[in-house]
């Protein structure tokens, strides 16, 4: 292993999924990616752009491809991390043997992801998520809330719209707005601490 980042030694020393994490690390480094520590996890970059991030979960480990929606997936190993994901894709493993069997395919995908990073191509995202009617009314009636909501990043705005709009009852949507009112004013996203 060359070009390992010493800031990540403690991450790779954890016993859970250790052999699998080291195998994925070796694979990323062998493909010429640069190892960095971002979001307390190993992130692999090319030309200063994020390519993949290694993530451990309770029952699996895998790579998250930042611009995975642009990758050709002839082997159909990539999946959306969540139903509302537009750009990212992930590949998940539950054993070292699975990683070893997928190594040639992963190498091709990593090379394609590097080429995407070099090209600077970006994913065309879906149109904006519509504001739930209760949120639209509340923003119109409360200029401070409207200003704070407008100052949020598009991703944070989208998360609030999906969360609030996901409630079936108008009363529940209004209650969700009330619950997160202070967080929005503080500029925090739905899942920020």
């Amino acid at each position: 292993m060359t070009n390992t980042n010493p800031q990540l030694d403690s991450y790779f020393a954890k016993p859970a999924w250790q052999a699998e994490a080291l195998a994925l690390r070796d694979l990323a480094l062998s493909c010429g990616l640069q190892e960095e520590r971002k979001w307390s996890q190993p992130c692999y970059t090319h030309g200063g752009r994020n390519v993949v991030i290694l993530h451990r979960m309770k029952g699996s480990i895998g790579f998250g491809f930042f611009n995975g929606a642009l990758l050709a997936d002839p082997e159909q190993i990539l999946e959306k991390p969540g139903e509302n994901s537009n750009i990212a894709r992930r590949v998940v493993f539950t054993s070292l043997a699975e990683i070893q069997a997928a190594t040639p395919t992963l190498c091709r995908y990593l090379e394609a992801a590097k080429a995407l990073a070099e090209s600077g191509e970006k994913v065309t995202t879906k149109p904006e998520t519509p504001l739930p009617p209760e949120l639209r009314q509340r923003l119109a009636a409360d200029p401070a809330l409207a200003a704070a909501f407008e100052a949020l990043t598009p991703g944070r705005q989208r998360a609030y719209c999906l969360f609030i709009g996901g409630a079936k009852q108008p009363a529940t949507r209004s209650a969700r707005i009330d619950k997160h009112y202070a967080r929005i004013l503080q500029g925090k996203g739905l899942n920020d601490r």
Side-chain angles (χ1 to χ4, degrees):
M1 287 187 299
T2 59
N3 301 322
T4 59
N5 187 325
Q7 292 179 332
L8 291 164
D9 290 345
S10 62
Y11 181 92
F12 289 103
K14 293 177 186 174
W17 301 106
Q18 186 177 32
E20 293 83 355
L22 290 169
L24 290 172
R25 178 190 217 183
D26 287 343
L27 178 61
L29 293 173
S30 71
C31 289
L33 295 172
Q34 179 69 37
E35 184 175 73
E36 297 183 28
R37 182 178 182 265
K38 295 185 178 183
W39 306 285
S40 301
Q41 297 183 61
C43 181
Y44 298 91
T45 63
H46 181 70
R49 299 190 62 161
N50 296 335
V51 176
V52 292
I53 192 164
L54 196 154
H55 54 81
R56 286 181 176 162
M57 295 173 280
K58 196 176 220 175
S60 62
I61 189 166
F63 272 146
F65 287 83
F66 285 94
N67 285 313
L70 293 174
L71 291 174
D73 186 17
E75 306 293 328
Q76 297 183 349
I77 62 171
L78 299 178
E79 61 184 37
K80 285 183 166 189
E83 68 178 79
N84 295 310
S85 297
N86 292 328
I87 301 170
R89 296 292 183 269
R90 69 179 181 182
V91 58
V92 178
F93 302 101
T94 56
S95 71
L96 183 59
E98 286 180 2
I99 294 170
Q100 292 167 339
T103 294
T105 301
L106 284 175
C107 284
R108 288 192 306 274
Y109 282 42
L110 289 171
E111 289 300 327
K114 279 174 55 178
L116 280 173
E118 287 175 7
S119 75
E121 185 177 353
K122 296 194 184 253
V123 175
T124 304
T125 58
K126 292 180 181 176
E128 287 185 28
T129 305
L131 288 174
E134 294 77 10
L135 182 58
R136 189 179 321 107
Q137 292 167 359
R138 191 74 173 269
L139 293 174
D142 188 339
L145 182 64
F149 189 81
E150 187 63 32
L152 293 173
T153 64
R156 287 182 174 139
Q157 290 178 11
R158 184 171 184 265
Y160 278 120
C161 288
L162 290 170
F163 175 70
I164 293 166
K168 293 179 182 175
Q169 299 292 322
T172 306
R173 290 191 289 271
S174 294
R176 288 181 177 184
I177 296 167
D178 293 339
K179 180 179 179 182
H180 293 282
Y181 182 86
R183 296 178 61 75
I184 294 170
L185 289 179
Q186 294 170 359
K188 292 184 177 181
L190 185 65
N191 300 309
D192 294 349
R193 294 179 192 231

